[in-house]
Amino acid sequence: MRSSRAGLALLSLLASPALATVPNGFQETAYSSSSLTYATGLAWAPDGSGRLFILNKHGTVRIATMRDGELVTQNNTLVTTVFATESVHTNSECGLIGMAFDPNYAVNRYVYLFVTATASKQQIVRYTDANGVGTARTVLIDNLPTAGNNHDGGAVGFGLDGKLYWAIGDLGNDSGVDADLTSLASKVGRANPDGTPANDNPFNDGVGPNNEYIWARGFRNPLTFTFQPGTGRLWVNSVGTDYEQVFVVGERDHAGYNDYENNQPAGYITPAIKYRTNNTDTRNLTTSGGAVRSGGIVTFTTTETHGFRKGETITVAGVTDTSFNGTVYVASTPSANKWTAVQAGPDANSGGGTAKTQHLGGSITGGVFYDSTLFPSEYRGNFLFGDYNSHRLVRATLAADGTVATVDSWGTDFYQAVDMDVGPDGALYVVGVTSNRITRVKPEAPGQKLIVSALNHAVVESGRIVFTVRLAEAPTADVTVNVQRASGDEDLTLSSGAQLRFTAANWNQLQTVTIDAAEDADINPDTALFTVSAAGLDTETVRVTSIDNNGARLVLSTVELTLDEGGSGTFTVALSKRPTSNVSVTVARTSGDTDVSVSGGATRTFTPSNWSTPQTVTVAAAEDADNLRDTATITVAAVGSDARTLSVTVQDNEPLEPTITSTPITRAVVGAPYRYDVVAEGRPAPTFSLTSSIQGPIIAESTGWLTWTPQEVGTVDMSVYASNGVSPDAVQSFQVTVKADEPPQAVLTRPAPGEVVSGTMAEFYGDCVDDLGCTRAEFYVDGVLESTDAQDSGHYHYGGEHNRWDTTSLKEGVHQVRMVVYDTAGRSASAGAWVCVGTGPCAAPEPMDGGTGPVDGGSNPGTEVPEGGCGCGAGPGGALAWLGLVLFLRRRRA
């Protein structure tokens, strides 16, 4: 998108989406505002204030406020205020795409944002909430990977261990897949709240090659996640190529991408919930013994691997004994070809027929566990999530052992549903990307009950949490609510809200209860149960668990030291908070060259008086006879608590002959600048010179930059020299082949030949491939120029972004589309396809004519949708029909 005006102009063309359809017994209310457009998420502040934070893809965080049980509106428009505005890169799924609240938010007021800062990096940024305005902006984690396109992730949140977690996908180009431990792409990351890597991360190897932040791996597009209340288990929603998958992720887990989707072998985690991307799976049952019922349990046997998951809804049809036919839930999966279901009926044996999965959509989005009291009791602990393509909400119930029991479509027409959260009123709130509204879902007649904002809480030691209480309906007489600790650790105490009073005037206003957590000496989490009760109403129980912060953390002035051989350097160490007693800190070389040593004693002592005063540590590097670069690791450890590492590199002072380590660039194009950065090592630093078979190429003596603009086709011999007075000089000889500038190639990715397109948000995009670069692309429909995308990326979209092609003005039937691309010399190429507008099918037209690229509608190399080319499944049937700005969910909830 080029500007917000362009987006608003587009919205004026979009038909208003239909109102949501909710299950019987529930009702929905829509809160509308144009400021909600391009929403990427929402979350309620956990401080009892009744404030709803809403994310906008283009960088703005807004706040809506609940008053007397309703979000505040004016002239039927939701009233919002701006909390913060980030400068973000917004191509495709990039932008402001995730948010989380600190587990000690009631005290420190910290709000965390996940942003695509530029086309090459993402960040986790922290703000302090100062009366509804974000202040003290701090970049906690910088240089998180992105390719400026899709599969950026955006999930961010805090676990029950008090650590900050986030998730990033494969960047749309398979980055970080196959458990590449050097990259945070395709990973779940984990850090201390200050942004430093957690020492106990499973692949943290200090100064080794691994990225120290990695917690789990193998995720294609983990846009959202949520921590399950009470258990703290991390549920990750990952958008797939062929399957949408929900994983329950633990330390070191591997989900298998890009080798596996819903077919992970031993050693990998399998999805707890999955569904076919924009489709269903049908499996044949064996003709003999394909269905065997015994004691109300049916064992089904398929002729091939079924790929079903526990709790999945399956429709059985065509079995010879028709008593087996119908809809059932998968109860277990004993083997790759057998699955069971509970089904009433006499013991029987039959075969034949099929087992078919349900169609739920094609792009899984935000999810939340229902942890409040307004909904009927059977909803407690349910996992609800959305699908962007189908506009469905899906409900999963859990069995007593925590496994999935049932998965069903629950609500429909939640247009472009992208995220959801449970409000302090116990209602479910859902936001869509361009629906311009937030939808509230609640029971039509809940009956009088106590509404507790959440039943499970985590509180940081020495911190506090707040939960709210209100009534479901206006009372006929005043209601007194009592809150008290019923059992558990005495370090968790009720500090306010022990007695609350509700009347016919204030029954729907939020009243707060505050729980404090005392600091203790152990490292174990504390737990306590608090009851919320009133005469004549069901008593609710709130579970509070402490997050042990292990006391003070070590603060180092640097994590890297570079020393000269025979020299020394220093760093400082202090504590992050006042300890309750003296803390001994040891400093020692734990690996690497023995020429590196710690001077001045191995122990430092910090007291409750000097804990914040940095103490200096000196590291020395002894002279040695070799000319190698020494390295070592220094470990700083607080006894029984935190530990940090510092890497040391020693620059040798022995003369060393030069060595050229760079690889030459051996191709050039007439008229295009040629640049080769020659890199050489040696002591002292080398200088550079060049010989060439033609005039023109030059090299910078001090930097090694070789530059030249070729004027004609041919082969040029070159030799570069690196000299530093130590023999011998380094020489690198090579040939550069100069070719003429070639015309571009057009690669049309969507629509595919014969694809059925409809609506206001169809896909029309592709690429320009050229040896010097491309300048723009033009998009034609039936020979008429309708859109131009002018940028130098080589990746072009109708309207400048995904899903900007409005097909509603086209008659049903066959139409021809063409993308024409231009290179820097003004030469062009085109690629095209025929499409079917409407519901289809359409008869294939005569082959297209003209154009400088293959456009026959069948052999066009751009008509095959490459995996990862849109933010979803590949191909027109599995593609994520989304808004190019989307798929930026997260779930950052703790």
Side-chain angles (χ1 to χ4, degrees), residues 268-286:
Y268 297 82
I269 56 173
T270 55
I273 299 172
K274 65 84 183 171
Y275 53 97
R276 187 80 180 191
T277 301
N278 293 327
N279 213 326
T280 60
D281 284 327
T282 299
R283 301 290 183 254
N284 294 316
L285 302 176
T286 57

Side-chain angles (χ1 to χ4, degrees), residues 619-662:
V619 181
E623 291 274 5
D624 60 23
D626 61 43
N627 57 11
L628 302 177
R629 177 176 295 179
D630 299 329
T631 60
T633 298
I634 304 295
T635 298
V636 184
V639 177
S641 182
D642 196 21
R644 302 289 301 279
T645 59
L646 178 143
S647 62
V648 179
T649 302
V650 181
Q651 299 184 130
D652 204 287
N653 55 13
E654 301 291 333
L656 180 66
E657 69 273 10
T659 302
I660 298 175
T661 60
S662 55

Side-chain angles (χ1 to χ4, degrees), residues 461 519-523 548 580:
E461 280 190 2
E519 187 92 38
D520 59 23
D522 62 48
I523 59 173
D548 196 287
T580 57

